[in-house]
């Protein structure tokens, strides 16, 4: 069988850069987060004033979190207002999406049924991305709830920031049962992010190998392959 | 105190120096300056406005009374007789039986709408089994349940101050499975109370709350758990004397180790300082000499609602996760690693299966939809 494949632009530079910012900050957050949860390595030696290990790791954690959140919000903006392609419809679950995602899931496991070739995010990816980003949002809210818990008695712009964070995140204290519950949830959600990211990476590698449409290429150079013509 | 005469003298005279010391401490706790010390002294000395206080005991261990009585500046006698007018306190009052009950009703009648109620202990709401089952019947004093007593006494009170975690949020007896249905006083009566939680509470905070009421005629501003902000705005972790060791990454990993002797951070030993709001390090216990972390033991979070359930295990940093099936107490790490492991195993199975399947799947791929744009 002969298939003519064509390189199609699917992702703009902005989307790709944001993807890798999110990737790098997530890796940084997971590593520093595991250290903060259980400082198993890099213990400071000497007097306390000579070393600043935990404080530095926490600073990296906070900066990565800000990077992730800003990238997240920018990506959200692009999803709605991109001049290249607005992709929020693909990520929101709709009856049509869910059905096609289920077909894809079936195809991935059995290589039977049908797999529709999609130029933009396909429904299976779309729905899993949706879930993964909800998990990231949960990390954002629980993380800021923990962060703002250490800020007290402030005025001015910094106080406004603290107040904003309180308004935005105090509900997590109610839902998860105070700071211990929020901390536990924040820690547990780390593993949801790790397993979700693992499955995402695996699926993209699998698709690239098995379906031969250069799916991974899309997030690096912005192009993937799509069939133009088939023949015997 | 060698002889009785001295003792009597000690118990009945006001030592001006100690009294001014107390005023200065309260000023510090309330976040006021030196200039306010005379005003505090005035408020405490003003005989006409000396508040009548009724101290109620419910489900508790009397630890908060003990803490209250352990203050040395002012001494117990000054506190009870001169500074405050503690008219009813079951543990330290001389009267008993009918006499005590009469004293209670007399105090309530004479100071209607003006007296302060300090509550210690949780109120049980469950109904004990048996024919004479009475709501809240797990606690009765003089044929009245704790709930009835609290309702009667608090109805005409100027303010209700809850000391200790039990009266504030239910304390240890309100934790799972909570057989007596214990809740805090505010929750039991559906009223707003000023809560001074901790186990036991620091008397400086409760006296400061009373002083705030005497000075300004109003109760101090509180957080959403009813705790006065002057004492409970900051976390233990952020005012800890061992905080520099936390930032330096210097942790105790074993009790009695060299690190413990050096006073390193107790974070890895399960210290709950990062999730607990209190002023322990500023106010301190036992005549302002010590506090748990200063003594080498991690904070257990005793000033937080549901502190036993949410803060345990005390010697681990994160509580266990109850896995729905089997009810096995696990940790977030174990469950998370299991999830990730399951994902990896699923991926491995998937890879082995799909890459070995000799099937032409290319024709299964439906050509791209006609892109409209």
């Amino acid at each position: 069988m002969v298939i003519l494949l064509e390189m199609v632009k699917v992702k703009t530079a902005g989307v790709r850069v944001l993807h890798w910012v999110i990737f790098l900050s997530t890796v940084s957050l997971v590593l520093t987060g595991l250290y903060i949860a259980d400082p198993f390595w890099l213990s400071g030696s000497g007097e306390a004033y000579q070393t600043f290990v935990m404080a530095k790791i926490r600073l990296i954690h906070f900066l990565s979190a800000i990077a992730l959140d800003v990238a997240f919000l920018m990506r959200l903006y692009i999803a709605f207002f991109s001049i290249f392609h607005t992709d929020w419809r693909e990520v929101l679950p709709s009856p049509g999406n869910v059905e096609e995602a289920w077909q894809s899931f079936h195809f991935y496991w059995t290589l039977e049924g049908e797999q529709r070739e999609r130029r933009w995010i396909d429904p299976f990816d779309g729905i899993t991305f949706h879930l993964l980003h909800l998990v990231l949002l949960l990390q954002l809210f629980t993380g800021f709830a923990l962060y703002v818990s250490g800020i007290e008695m402030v005025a001015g712009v910094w106080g406004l920031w603290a107040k904003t964070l309180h308004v935005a995140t105090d509900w997590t204290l109610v839902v998860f049962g105070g700071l211990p519950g929020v901390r536990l949830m924040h820690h547990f959600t780390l593993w949801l992010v790790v397993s979700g990211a693992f499955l995402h990476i695996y699926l993209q590698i699998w698709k690239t190998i098995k379906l031969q449409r250069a799916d991974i290429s899309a997030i690096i150079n912005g192009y993937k392959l799509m069939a133009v013509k088939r023949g015997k | 105190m060698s002889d009785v005469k001295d003792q009597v003298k000690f118990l009945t005279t006001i030592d001006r120096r100690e009294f001014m010391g107390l005023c200065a401490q309260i000023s510090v706790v309330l976040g006021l300056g030196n200039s306010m010390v005379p005003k505090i002294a005035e408020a405490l000395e003003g005989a006409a406005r000396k508040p009548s206080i009724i101290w109620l005991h419910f489900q508790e261990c009397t630890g908060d009374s003990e803490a209250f009585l352990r203050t040395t500046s002012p001494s117990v006698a000054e506190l009870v007789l001169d500074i405050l007018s503690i008219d009813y306190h079951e543990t330290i009052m001389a009267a008993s039986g009918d006499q005590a009950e009469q004293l209670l009703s007399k105090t309530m009648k004479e100071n209607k709408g003006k007296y302060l109620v300090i509550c210690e202990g949780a109120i049980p709401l469950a109904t004990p089994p048996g024919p004479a089952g009475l709501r809240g019947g797990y606690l009765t004093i003089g044929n009245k349940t704790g709930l009835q007593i609290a309702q009667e006494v608090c109805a005409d009170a100027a303010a209700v101050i809850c000391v200790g975690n039990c009266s504030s949020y239910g304390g240890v007896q309100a934790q799972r499975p909570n057989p007596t249905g214990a809740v805090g006083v505010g929750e039991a009566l559906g009223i707003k109370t000023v809560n001074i939680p901790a186990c036991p509470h620091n008397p400086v905070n409760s006296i400061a709350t009373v002083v705030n009421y005497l000075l300004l005629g109003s109760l101090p501003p509180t957080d959403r758990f009813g705790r006065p902000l002057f004492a409970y705005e900051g976390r233990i972790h952020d005012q800890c004397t061992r905080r520099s060791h936390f930032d330096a990454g210097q942790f105790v990993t074993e009790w009695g180790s060299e690190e413990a002797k050096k006073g390193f951070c107790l974070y890895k030993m399960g210290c709950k300082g990062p999730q607990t709001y209190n002023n322990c390090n500023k106010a301190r216990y036992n005549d302002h000499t010590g506090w748990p972390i200063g003594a080498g033991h991690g904070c257990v979070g005793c000033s937080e609602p549901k502190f036993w359930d949410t803060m345990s295990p005390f010697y681990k940093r994160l509580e266990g996760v109850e896995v729905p099936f089997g009810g096995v107490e696990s940790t977030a790490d174990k469950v998370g690693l299991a999830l990730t492991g399951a994902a990896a195993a699923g991926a491995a199975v998937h890879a082995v299966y799909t890459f070995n399947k000799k099937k032409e799947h290319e024709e299964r791929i439906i050509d791209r939809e006609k892109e409209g744009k």
Side-chain angles (χ1 to χ4, degrees), chain B residues 229-308:
Chain B
L229 287 176
F230 67 76
Y232 296 90
E233 187 167 29
R235 287 186 307 173
I236 299 272
H237 188 54
D238 295 322
Q239 40 177 290
C240 185
T241 44
R242 300 188 181 211
R243 178 58 190 254
S244 56
H245 291 298
F246 172 80
D247 285 332
Q250 296 173 327
F251 301 100
V252 177
T253 50
E254 200 186 337
W255 298 119
S257 62
E258 198 56 41
E259 288 81 23
K261 279 180 207 158
K262 282 180 183 164
F264 282 2
C265 177
L266 296 162
Y267 182 73
K268 289 186 85 166
M269 302 308 282
C271 177
K272 299 298 184 289
Q275 47 234 42
T276 306
Y277 291 82
N278 208 340
N279 63 347
C280 296
N281 186 32
K282 286 184 201 154
R284 301 205 175 180
Y285 287 85
N286 297 330
D287 207 11
H288 318 286
T289 55
W291 63 305
I293 293 172
H297 189 282
C299 169
V300 297
C302 66
S303 60
E304 292 295 314
K306 293 209 171 297
F307 97 88
W308 208 275

Side-chain angles (χ1 to χ4, degrees), chain B residues 187-211:
Chain B
E187 197 186 329
L189 303 185
I191 57 170
K192 203 177 171 301
T193 58
V194 175
N195 299 329
I196 320 281
C199 192
H201 82 294
N202 194 325
V204 167
N205 292 337
S206 57
I207 298 171
T209 304
V210 174
V211 166

